[in-house]
Amino acid sequence: MEVDYAEAVAAQIAKSEELVRAGHLQEALDGLIVLEKQARQSGDTFSSVKVLCAIVNLCAQAKNYDMLTEMMVVMSKRRSQYKQAVTAMVQEVVKIVDTIADRPTQLKVIEAIRTVTEGKIYVEVERARITYKLALMLEAEGKAKEGAEILQDLQIETYGSMERREKMEMLLEQMRLCLAKQDYVRTQIISRKVSLKFFEEEANQDLKLKYFKLMIQLDEHDSKFLSVARHYGAIYNTKKIKENPIDSLQALQCLLSYLVLAPFDNEQHDMMHRMLADKNLDKIPPYKRLLKSFITEEIIQWTIFSSELEKDLRQGSAELPAVYVFQPNAEGTARWLQLRQRTTEHNIRIAALYYSRVSLNRLAFLLSLTPLQLEEFIGKLVTKKTIFARIDRPSGTVVFRPHKNVDATLDDWAGNVAKLMEMISQTTHLINKEEMVHGMEHAAVAVADKD
């Protein structure tokens, strides 16, 4: 049978507040505990909520946080306790946490909240928020690893009652803390839980930039340069970045730098051609020359290439500051050496286009390499199936065309003859057409003269 204890609860809370001010906390709590049991057994949910909130507030008012944590745990375990009452009590204690000045006490109350909310779906949001707060506190104390381990235990993507933006913020914090403790595998796993459709909304641009910056850190560690270029492409195409000319050009510079650092494949080749059509390239001439060098089917002479572009790419100028990619530090120097390797690979691919058979010594001379270095680069490109090549060491030659049998040669010859005959037929047709048009013009002139 439901009984309304609203008046009794209001009177008892007022009485308990007077007792707390007089220094009698236990006596104040005893009266409320009795009333809480009566309200719970009578089905008065509203009164139960008010009583539980009053209990934790009185403990906080008396600054007896040991009693607060004890009462919170005891009240949450009461038989047939209402979920609404436990939720309201937890929410109240979460507010109280911010008012506690003593850090050890604050941590103790947070752990009590985590204990009470563990395994309870109806307070999963409150548990996530207080865990996030605890992780940030641990990070501030220099315990980033512990903070990451606490936060990564939360399966935030499954929380249906949490707002999408708050959920995304916590997922990104999980990624950030995992990166801080250099747990790149876990970061990769968490990144797959992020839906990129969420970033299509203009209100979420700040989170979009944060996500792609974290992904850049992750893929830089794994040397996935094409992925890094794609991330910078997403940043470059963000409205907030496009509205800022300086940030826009810096994103474009990083995009192009990582794009040419990426190993050659169809996606990289297609992306380079698409970027060449960008009008902003005219504002960054060194990077435009860099991109054109790798698109043009010509051998790049490294000595000339580096003398023209090294200063602009690594040190920059007053008009166009250099980005961090090739800066003269340990990481920048390593990437500059990788750029030289990409240049050599580009040169070998171009040689494979124009040569079917060439001397190793001659090709090594053209590419400014030793024969052994050339063999190593050719071996890598053949392994990746970027080119076809066979090295004949006794004769000192390299073949870039697969050997064809007689049937394949005849098929090619027949195809070429058919193509030639088609071109001759088309040319004959065009000649006849021109003769007819010319004849008609002469006939029209002759008729005009007679008239």
Side-chain angles (χ1 to χ4, degrees):
M1 180 179 178
E2 293 188 6
V3 180
D4 187 2
Y5 284 91
E7 293 183 3
V9 167
Q12 183 60 47
I13 290 175
K15 181 180 178 182
S16 297
E17 288 176 349
E18 291 293 332
L19 290 170
V20 169
R21 281 193 286 270
H24 304 295
L25 174 62
Q26 189 59 55
E27 188 178 343
L29 294 179
D30 289 342
L32 287 173
I33 290 171
V34 172
L35 194 57
E36 183 275 332
K37 182 179 180 180
Q38 294 173 349
R40 174 164 44 83
Q41 291 178 342
S42 301
D44 188 354
T45 308
F46 180 75
S47 296
S48 293
V49 169
K50 291 194 71 175
V51 171
L52 261 62
C53 290
I55 288 173
V56 294
N57 278 320
L58 289 175
C59 292
Q61 185 179 336
K63 298 194 182 300
N64 191 336
Y65 297 108
D66 290 335
M67 181 63 73
L68 185 149
T69 55
E70 180 184 343
M71 294 304 300
M72 183 170 59
V73 173
V74 170
M75 290 294 111
S76 67
K77 291 182 179 180
R78 285 291 177 94
R79 184 172 177 270
S80 301
Q81 186 61 273
Y82 296 109
K83 294 178 181 178
Q84 298 95 319
V86 174
T87 302
M89 178 181 68
V90 169
Q91 290 172 347
E92 202 67 32
V93 178
V94 169
K95 296 176 185 176
I96 291 170
V97 168
D98 294 327
T99 65
I100 302 174
D102 183 51
R103 181 56 63 89
T105 304
Q106 196 176 33
L107 291 173
K108 185 177 180 180
V109 175
I110 289 174
E111 285 301 330
I113 296 173
R114 282 167 46 78
T115 301
V116 170
T117 56
E118 186 175 5
K120 296 182 176 67
I121 296 177
Y122 54 90
V123 283
E124 62 184 6
V125 175
E126 287 74 17
R127 177 177 176 79
R129 288 170 181 165
I130 203 66
T131 303
Y132 174 50
K133 184 179 181 66
L134 176 60
L136 293 181
M137 290 171 63
L138 290 173
E139 184 188 19
E141 295 175 358
K143 301 176 182 178
K145 185 176 180 180
E146 294 179 18
E149 290 173 352
I150 289 173
L151 192 60
Q152 73 187 25
D153 289 338
L154 299 177
Q155 303 301 319
I156 298 170
E157 68 280 0
T158 65
Y159 293 178
S161 55
M162 183 180 286
E163 291 184 3
R164 289 183 67 199
R165 182 176 175 86
E166 185 179 7
K167 190 186 297 186
M168 185 61 67
E169 287 174 350
M170 289 195 183
L171 281 172
L172 295 182
E173 282 299 304
Q174 283 185 332
M175 288 179 62
R176 185 183 66 80
L177 288 172
C178 286
L179 281 174
K181 72 167 188 172
Q182 299 182 346
D183 188 349
Y184 299 103
V185 175
R186 176 75 66 173
T187 307
Q188 185 69 46
I189 293 170
I190 297 171
S191 69
R192 292 172 184 164
K193 300 175 183 178
V194 175
S195 172
L196 297 182
K197 290 183 179 179
F198 175 79
F199 300 130
E200 294 175 0
E201 299 177 14
E202 190 173 339
N204 301 323
Q205 287 187 13
D206 55 332
L207 296 182
K208 176 183 178 181
L209 295 175
K210 183 176 181 180
Y211 168 74
F212 282 110
K213 287 176 182 177
L214 291 171
M215 290 302 298
I216 286 168
Q217 292 182 43
L218 174 63
D219 288 331
E220 278 182 343
H221 173 266
D222 297 331
S223 297
K224 296 178 180 178
F225 296 131
L226 185 58
S227 296
V228 176
R230 284 199 297 265
H231 300 326
Y232 272 115
I235 292 175
Y236 175 64
N237 291 318
T238 303
K239 184 179 178 182
K240 184 177 179 181
I241 297 297
K242 281 189 172 295
E243 290 173 352
N244 188 322
I246 297 176
D247 292 343
S248 178
L249 289 181
Q250 286 182 346
L252 182 57
Q253 288 172 255
C254 293
L255 190 164
L256 297 175
S257 300
Y258 279 108
L259 187 57
V260 297
L261 280 172
F264 175 83
D265 60 17
N266 291 335
E267 184 180 357
Q268 187 249 16
H269 187 66
D270 177 65
M271 194 172 178
M272 284 199 298
H273 280 81
R274 284 189 283 110
M275 292 309 304
L276 190 61
D278 196 303
K279 295 180 180 179
N280 283 331
L281 282 180
D282 295 329
K283 300 177 183 178
I284 48 175
Y287 292 87
K288 186 175 183 179
R289 290 202 301 274
L290 173 67
L291 186 62
K292 273 191 170 182
S293 299
F294 281 86
I295 290 177
T296 307
E297 292 182 348
E298 295 177 359
I299 287 178
I300 301 172
Q301 293 294 336
W302 177 255
T303 52
I304 300 173
F305 177 83
S306 60
S307 64
E308 290 180 353
L309 294 178
E310 183 172 7
K311 184 177 179 182
D312 291 324
L313 297 179
R314 304 197 68 186
Q315 299 176 8
S317 61
E319 297 79 16
L320 185 64
V323 290
Y324 73 95
V325 182
F326 297 118
Q327 283 187 346
N329 52 31
E331 294 180 352
T333 302
R335 295 191 191 103
W336 185 254
L337 293 175
Q338 286 179 319
L339 179 62
R340 182 168 186 179
Q341 291 180 9
R342 295 290 176 260
T343 305
T344 303
E345 292 172 2
H346 166 83
N347 291 340
I348 294 173
R349 285 191 295 103
I350 299 305
L353 290 176
Y354 293 106
Y355 288 99
S356 59
R357 181 187 183 92
V358 65
S359 165
L360 273 173
N361 291 330
R362 172 61 178 164
L363 186 57
F365 173 76
L366 290 174
L367 305 186
S368 302
L369 297 171
T370 65
L372 287 177
Q373 289 175 329
L374 179 60
E375 284 187 20
E376 183 181 350
F377 276 107
I378 291 175
K380 289 179 180 178
L381 292 177
V382 170
T383 303
K384 296 176 184 176
K385 298 184 178 180
T386 304
I387 62 170
F388 174 89
R390 292 292 182 268
I391 297 174
D392 186 349
R393 278 186 170 174
S395 63
T397 58
V398 57
V399 178
F400 290 115
R401 299 287 184 273
H403 176 71
K404 293 183 180 179
N405 57 29
V406 176
D407 293 335
T409 304
L410 286 173
D411 288 341
D412 288 345
W413 181 83
N416 291 335
V417 170
K419 187 176 180 182
L420 176 63
M421 296 305 296
E422 183 182 350
M423 292 174 67
I424 291 172
S425 176
Q426 187 178 5
T427 304
T428 304
H429 171 73
L430 291 173
I431 291 171
N432 291 334
K433 181 179 177 182
E434 287 294 326
E435 288 178 347
M436 291 175 64
V437 171
H438 189 65
M440 291 175 64
E441 288 178 353
H442 273 286
V445 171
V447 171
D449 290 341
K450 287 181 179 180
D451 294 342

